[in-house]
Every structure is written in structure tokens, then in C-alpha cells.
Amino acid sequence: MSAGVLAVTYVEDGPADGWPVVLVHGFPYDVHAYDEVVPRLTARGARVVRPYLRGYGPTRFLSASTPRSGQQAALGSDLLALLDALDLEAPIVAGYDWGGLSSCVAAVLWPQRLRGLVAMAGYDVIDVAAQREPQDPALEHAVWYQHLLQTERGRAVLATHRRELCRMLWRQWSPRWRFDDATFDRTAASFDNPDFVDVVVHAYRHALGNASGDPVHDALEARLAQRPPITVPAVTLDGASDTLKPGGTADHAPLFTGRHEHRVVDAGHALPFEAPAAFADAVLTVDAWTRGPVHGAR
């Protein structure tokens, strides 16, 4: 389906007239992260949409001239364009990693379009100015892959050994999750997208100040830099053994000014894979909170 600058491929489950939920995956994952979340939602009447992000799976750019940007404003804009293309009125959006980022960006920039939010981890909008400053050595160690991708050698590693690199990240970020080869291979096929390397490399180079953004998103990035609060009802999640978020994100609570609940789940970074019931329950909680007059309906 054409949506903004993309021809988006998505998976849809549940009744066509169900209450809408959009589940957004992260890096380096794809729509299969939610395979065990979806039945728990459709059983409660949800219409569940799972898009492949730019640079993943069958999703493609409509034009060769569109910058292969991975910056947060581009990801959030893609999500908004999909809501428009599918005519989804006031859905709940839920995600983790890049999916949490894009969902939080949409909640910040276009709150009137959403009924609610589920996000891992916390207020997941990138503080670009802070990101570009030296961090605690333990955090710098955890994001070693981001530093690798600042170099052309890193780009070559991702291009040549993408499956090996991504499998390593799965293991490091979710140290207690014992996924099998079939689970990884089902998702790894999405990394063969011709734009995967460009989008991923740009995402981390932009965040660390080593690549310019797409000028079309400059105004949105300026708004995000102000760190506006999230006003829609939200449940935020941390994985107790997520090595990317040492200490968790409970301290993000002041950035949520609507109804908000923070939960810690016995899982690593791939939380929908590892704890699908907990992820689904967070979505169902937001649905229960917002029943009745639709929050933010157009």
C-alpha cells in the first residue's frame, strides 16, 4: 500500500471493524516479533496491523531519489502516513526499539490521531543533543554496534555479515532468551531488503551527529528537540534483563502528562517475543482506559 514515501507491506489480523491497533517492530527485528501477541488481541476484538518498517522485508521506497533516512522524524512520519492510508481513526500504537521510538514520536507530534500508546522503553524519543555527548562507559559499551556503524568498515560488516551481527545483538540484548534458528531465520529474511543497510546506518549516524537529516523533516526534528510531553494515555514497559536499558526508564514518568502506568517485565529487549502476554496486556489496559468517547478522534 502506498503511504507517504513508501509502498508499505503490512500484516493484518482480526475483524475489519475491530478496534484498531498498530504494532511496530524494531531493529533488528520485524513483524514476527508480535506473532504471539496478535492472537491475544484479536481474541478481544482488535484489528491488528503490523507494518514492515522502511528498510525491512517487502516494504519499499516509491522513489529512488528519496533519502534512505532512518532518523526518528522519518519513522514517525511513516507511521502517520500509514494511519492515513488505512484510514485508521484513533488507533492504539504500540512498539519497542525503533517501533517504540516511532510510536512515541507520533504520540508527541500528532496526539489527536491516537487513542493511546504502549512503548518500550519509556519516553523513547531520542534526545539528539544529549546523545551526541559522551555517555557513561557502561552505556557506551552496550551500544558498541552504534559506534561500529559510524565507520565505513562498520557499514561493510553490516552489509556482508548482517545475519551474524543481528543474531549477536539478539543474544546480547536478551541474555535469558533461548530463541531457536527457525525463529531467527523467519525474521532475518527481512534484513535482505535492499535499503536495510542504508536506513540502519543513517539512523545511528544521524543520532550521533555524523550524518545530516532529510531536510523535509527539519521542522519535526526541531519540535522533538524540545522534548514535549506525551499526553495520550500510555503504558510503558521495561525488560528487567534488557542490557540496553540498565536501570530502566521509570524516571521518564514526568514526560507523560496523561494517564500513565509503568511496568517492569521479566524479559530482555525483545519483550514481545519473550513476554507476549505482558505486551498484549499493556495494549488491553490502554484499550480499557479509553473505552467510551474515542480519545483524540478526528
Side-chain angles (χ1 to χ4, degrees):
M1 168 174 284
S2 293
V5 300
L6 300 175
V8 178
T9 298
Y10 62 93
V11 179
E12 182 170 340
D13 297 278
D17 61 350
W19 51 278
V21 181
V22 182
L23 302 179
V24 194
H25 69 82
F27 163 82
Y29 307 94
D30 79 346
V31 299
H32 292 294
Y34 297 106
D35 282 353
E36 295 186 39
V37 175
V38 170
R40 291 171 164 85
L41 300 179
T42 57
R44 301 287 291 273
R47 175 191 178 190
V48 183
V49 173
R50 292 179 281 165
Y52 289 87
L53 296 183
R54 57 170 58 197
Y56 292 79
T59 289
R60 296 290 187 270
F61 286 87
L62 293 171
S63 171
S65 65
T66 301
R68 271 41 177 177
S69 171
Q71 67 191 102
Q72 60 184 347
L75 299 177
S77 296
D78 290 346
L79 180 53
L80 179 68
L82 181 66
L83 303 188
D84 286 343
L86 293 175
D87 196 27
L88 293 180
E89 186 169 331
I92 294 171
V93 296
Y96 74 111
D97 197 89
W98 287 20
L101 169 63
S102 58
S103 297
C104 284
V105 166
V108 165
L109 296 177
W110 306 287
Q112 72 281 4
R113 295 299 311 279
L114 308 181
R115 184 153 68 98
L117 168 73
V118 173
M120 174 193 172
Y123 184 91
D124 207 20
V125 176
I126 298 172
D127 186 343
V128 173
Q131 180 98 341
R132 293 174 178 178
E133 296 296 323
Q135 304 295 313
D136 180 273
L139 181 58
E140 298 282 17
H141 178 266
V143 298
W144 63 268
Y145 64 99
Q146 297 186 20
H147 297 299
L148 174 66
L149 294 174
Q150 304 307 304
T151 69
E152 287 307 295
R153 183 183 181 93
R155 175 192 288 274
V157 169
L158 182 62
T160 306
H161 302 291
R162 67 192 71 189
R163 294 186 183 223
E164 296 89 341
L165 176 60
C166 293
R167 185 190 292 268
M168 182 185 299
L169 296 179
W170 280 31
R171 288 174 172 160
Q172 291 184 354
W173 298 347
S174 296
R176 296 168 58 188
W177 181 33
R178 299 297 180 260
F179 59 88
D180 58 22
D181 288 344
T183 298
F184 179 77
D185 290 342
R186 192 160 46 244
T187 286
S190 284
F191 311 153
D192 294 331
N193 183 296
D195 299 306
F196 177 76
V197 172
D198 285 344
V199 170
V200 170
V201 168
H202 182 267
Y204 294 114
R205 291 187 182 182
H206 179 267
L208 294 185
N210 292 319
S212 299
D214 182 347
V216 75
H217 298 305
D218 284 352
L220 297 180
E221 292 287 356
R223 289 173 60 190
L224 294 171
Q226 300 303 309
R227 311 284 287 165
I230 288 175
T231 60
V232 302
V235 172
T236 54
L237 303 168
D238 278 327
S241 56
D242 180 0
T243 61
L244 285 181
K245 297 292 181 180
T249 59
D251 60 340
H252 293 190
L255 289 164
F256 293 85
T257 58
R259 186 169 184 176
H260 173 237
E261 181 179 320
H262 184 70
R263 301 175 180 179
V264 179
V265 177
D266 185 16
H269 190 67
L271 196 150
F273 269 122
E274 300 174 70
F279 198 93
D281 185 67
V283 176
L284 294 170
T285 296
V286 174
D287 175 56
W289 288 350
T290 55
R291 285 288 181 177
V294 177
H295 177 89
R298 288 181 288 172

